[in-house]
Amino acid sequence: MSTSITSPTSAIPPTDEIGDRAEAALARCGVDHLTEAGAAGRLYARTPITGGALLALAHATERDVDHAITAAHETFQTTWRDTPAPERGALVRRLGDLLREHKYDLADLVSIEAGKIRSEAAGEVQEMIDICDFALGLSRQLYGRTIASERPGHRLMETWHPLGVVSVVTAFNFPVAVWSWNTAVALVCGDTVVWKPSEMTPLTALACDALLSRAAAETGAPANVHQVLLGGPDVGERLVDDPRVALVSATGSVRMGRTVGPRVAARLGRCLLELGGNNAAVVAPSADLDLAVRGTVFAAAGTAGQRCTSLRRLIVHEDVAETITDRIVAAYEQLRVGDPLNEDTLVGPLVGERAYTAMREALAQATADGGAVLVGGNRCLEQEAPDAYYVEPAVVRMPVQSAIVREETFAPILYVLTYRTFDEAIELHNGVSQGLSSAVFTRDQREAERFLAMSDCGIVNVNIGTSGAEIGGAFGGEKDTGGGRESGSDAWKAYMRRATNTVNYSDELPLAQGVRFL
Ligand code: NAD
């Protein structure tokens, strides 16, 4: 029998009050004339805080998609690609300034639409500010290499050029940061952007678009450098299939990636996929358990388990298993579940009923597989918010890594598995189809180094949790996570085309490889 978490935070505010707060934030960001949709083609902006509808917006039509791509394509061809990169950087610098100014307006919208707690929502906007700084610097560093030529009097080099229209398709759980990772970098690279945000976070998208439009107007950049299209997978699919879209950068579930990847490949387009994870941390006997407990609780229960990098599997050495699970359970009992707009809350709601059903079904399957729920797993605040889905984050001790453990359930369930040898830990760790983020807690340098070499994920950490990446590194994962990289490091190369140039400054015409002809 699991213990339950007893301390939900204060009352849940009514939907009207949340709607007023959203409208005020939108107005401050410059969205002051929201077009209410007619009966047909409605997309409802909702809040998971109450489950209520805030506004009915117009869903993009086929014509809207075509217009957006046409405008983005023309702007790319006629102006943006020829604008010097540092000048393109000026647009992103202004966007960063506006984001600083409106950090808490956007954070409000992120909490309202995605259910993130205040500090995590503000942290997400901070990531946007950080990537704007990064992209501004990048606008003066789009370097190519010079390569030694095998021919005398020749220079061989690589140059990087703008790619074209980039379609950015984003998930609900990072409604602004992922857009900015793509957009800030794509814009300095000379691309234009058409954004299809999650159908669950349209207001946040309108606010970002308004801020970017203002930055464009103030810096003299063309207005059509960025477009936003509200809608569901049908809108996404139109972007995926349009040959004028040079790069589709799509973030979401593996299921979505399995549709998008082959469709873009069928037209020989470029695709950057950032898909689901099933992240694990290994806790070795030498681990600093204070770090391991704190790292685990934030990564597993934070964001109500709705990060792509959320910790879902804890692989613990059997000598420390009991101590660490007791400490994690004790920490979970202190978690405050409730209204994400309340500063005291640590765990907000699930995004909707489907997520709750998936969590319930996963817990039932894990129990059927011999698992024991050690804490949490219950729905809470049902009386206060009957249409919302607040849950107690759960910890489940599993005898084996069964099929349900190998799946990504987008909810706060942490499965605890034990190991005896480090090889066994690595085998369990890599024994899933996803490959996003991973961590080891150890004070043994050999184990740390082995883990860095053997984890098959795109993100491999030592003595920190699996979630909360910095923008400076390239972000993304392997295997079913899709192989894409975005944000920092040299991820910008995905947004440009590379040309290899050979310049002959001699009076001869020697052929490569010593070939003789005529
Ligand atoms: P989702 O796959 O349901 O939707 C993501 C986006 O894809 C939405 O905008 C949606 O409208 C669009 N979409 C869905 N089907 C499509 C199709 N056939 N063609 C074109 N577009 C389509 O995901 P979600 O529920 O919004 O987000 C949660 C998932 O996203 C989790 O699996 C999470 O791990 C993953 N995620 C991954 C990363 C990463 O960087 N790897 C980041 C955030 C979220």
Side-chain angles (χ1 to χ4, degrees):
M1 193 54 193
S2 75
T3 49
S4 65
I5 293 161
T6 49
S7 47
T9 50
S10 64
I12 304 299
T15 304
D16 284 357
E17 200 179 290
I18 299 169
D20 290 347
R21 188 162 171 167
E23 285 195 46
L26 283 166
R28 287 192 295 271
C29 290
V31 186
D32 43 14
H33 50 277
L34 276 171
T35 331
E36 289 262 340
R42 273 187 182 174
L43 174 81
Y44 284 96
R46 297 181 172 278
T47 177
I49 300 175
T50 60
L54 301 172
L55 278 165
L57 303 161
H59 188 291
T61 61
E62 196 172 343
R63 215 159 138 250
D64 295 333
V65 178
D66 184 57
H67 279 179
I69 299 174
T70 304
H73 193 247
E74 274 175 20
T75 304
F76 172 75
Q77 299 271 14
T78 55
T79 51
W80 197 239
R81 68 175 173 185
D82 294 326
T83 304
E87 216 176 289
R88 301 192 297 245
L91 167 62
V92 171
R93 176 175 50 208
R94 182 65 191 130
L95 174 64
D97 290 344
L98 290 172
L99 291 172
R100 284 179 172 85
E101 213 177 290
H102 293 282
K103 179 170 176 178
Y104 291 97
D105 294 327
L106 273 183
D108 269 7
L109 292 168
V110 170
S111 294
I112 288 169
E113 287 197 309
K116 278 192 188 179
I117 62 167
R118 294 283 293 156
S119 73
E120 289 192 58
E124 183 170 350
V125 184
Q126 187 58 46
E127 268 189 60
M128 307 174 78
I129 295 168
D130 295 344
I131 197 72
C132 286
D133 286 352
F134 180 91
L136 172 62
L138 183 64
S139 72
R140 289 183 183 271
Q141 298 177 75
L142 299 169
Y143 302 140
R145 298 172 210 253
T146 303
I147 301 148
S149 171
E150 67 190 46
R151 287 170 281 185
H154 282 60
R155 182 155 60 90
L156 188 57
M157 61 187 179
E158 283 177 350
T159 49
W160 293 87
H161 305 270
L163 191 61
V165 178
V166 175
S167 274
V168 179
V169 175
T170 52
F172 83 87
N173 67 321
F174 269 94
V176 292
V178 171
W179 166 73
S180 69
W181 294 353
N182 281 282
T183 303
V185 172
L187 288 175
V188 300
C189 288
D191 304 324
T192 54
V193 174
V194 181
W195 180 21
K196 208 290 292 167
S198 165
E199 51 276 38
M200 289 183 257
T201 55
L203 299 180
T204 316
L206 291 176
C208 291
D209 184 56
L211 293 174
L212 182 49
S213 298
R214 189 172 143 199
E218 289 175 6
T219 55
N224 288 332
V225 84
H226 182 258
Q227 323 269 327
V228 65
L229 292 167
L230 302 183
D234 54 322
V235 175
E237 285 182 10
R238 291 203 175 94
L239 293 171
V240 162
D241 291 339
D242 196 304
R244 291 171 297 174
V245 172
L247 170 69
V248 176
S249 173
T251 300
S253 56
V254 172
R255 190 192 58 244
M256 176 276 283
R258 286 199 195 287
T259 307
V260 168
R263 284 174 84 139
V264 179
R267 63 171 176 86
L268 304 180
R270 251 199 227 186
C271 202
L272 194 167
L273 293 176
E274 296 282 355
L275 309 176
N278 187 352
N279 316 295
V282 172
V283 182
S286 68
D288 176 332
L289 291 188
D290 288 341
L291 292 190
V293 170
R294 282 178 52 212
T296 297
V297 175
F298 173 65
T303 334
Q306 298 172 113
R307 284 193 188 213
C308 50
T309 51
S310 285
L311 180 62
R312 311 209 178 274
R313 299 174 296 136
L314 194 67
I315 301 167
V316 190
H317 190 274
E318 54 189 23
D319 288 354
V320 286
E322 203 173 317
T323 314
I324 193 163
T325 40
D326 285 352
R327 290 186 59 180
I328 291 169
V329 167
Y332 267 52
E333 284 167 352
Q334 305 304 312
L335 292 172
R336 294 181 297 276
V337 180
D339 170 18
L341 291 165
N342 180 329
E343 299 284 350
D344 290 334
T345 299
L346 293 175
V347 180
L350 290 179
V351 73
E353 185 177 5
R354 216 155 9 121
Y356 172 63
T357 306
M359 178 169 179
R360 234 187 29 212
E361 289 175 358
L363 287 173
Q365 185 58 53
T367 314
D369 294 346
V373 180
L374 304 178
V375 66
N378 302 305
R379 186 170 172 190
C380 46
L381 295 163
E382 210 173 339
Q383 298 286 321
E384 294 84 341
D387 298 324
Y389 294 89
Y390 291 87
V391 292
E392 301 166 346
V395 178
V396 187
R397 180 85 185 250
M398 292 301 293
V400 288
Q401 184 156 265
S402 61
I404 192 66
V405 180
R406 296 197 304 274
E407 257 178 46
E408 181 198 48
T409 300
F410 217 57
I413 303 176
L414 177 67
Y415 299 110
V416 180
L417 299 150
T418 51
Y419 76 90
R420 200 166 299 167
T421 65
F422 202 65
D423 283 346
E424 213 182 303
I426 288 176
E427 199 180 318
L428 277 170
H429 177 275
N430 290 349
V432 296
S433 60
Q434 312 84 349
L436 182 52
S437 186
S438 59
V440 65
F441 287 90
T442 183
R443 282 188 279 207
D444 178 331
Q445 193 180 356
R446 286 167 307 178
E447 280 179 348
E449 293 292 337
R450 274 200 70 214
F451 189 76
L452 291 173
M454 299 299 290
S455 161
D456 59 6
C457 289
I459 298 166
V460 191
N461 296 334
V462 177
N463 292 329
I464 63 164
T466 53
S467 66
E470 296 182 22
I471 62 97
F475 182 91
E478 301 299 328
K479 304 196 290 185
D480 284 1
T481 303
R485 290 295 185 278
E486 55 193 29
S487 187
S489 184
D490 64 351
W492 60 271
K493 291 179 175 171
Y495 302 81
M496 300 199 86
R497 78 183 157 77
R498 177 197 321 233
T500 302
N501 315 127
T502 311
V503 178
N504 177 7
Y505 57 91
S506 74
D507 298 326
E508 308 294 327
L509 194 68
L511 298 177
Q513 295 89 42
V515 171
R516 289 175 185 279
F517 199 80
L518 287 182

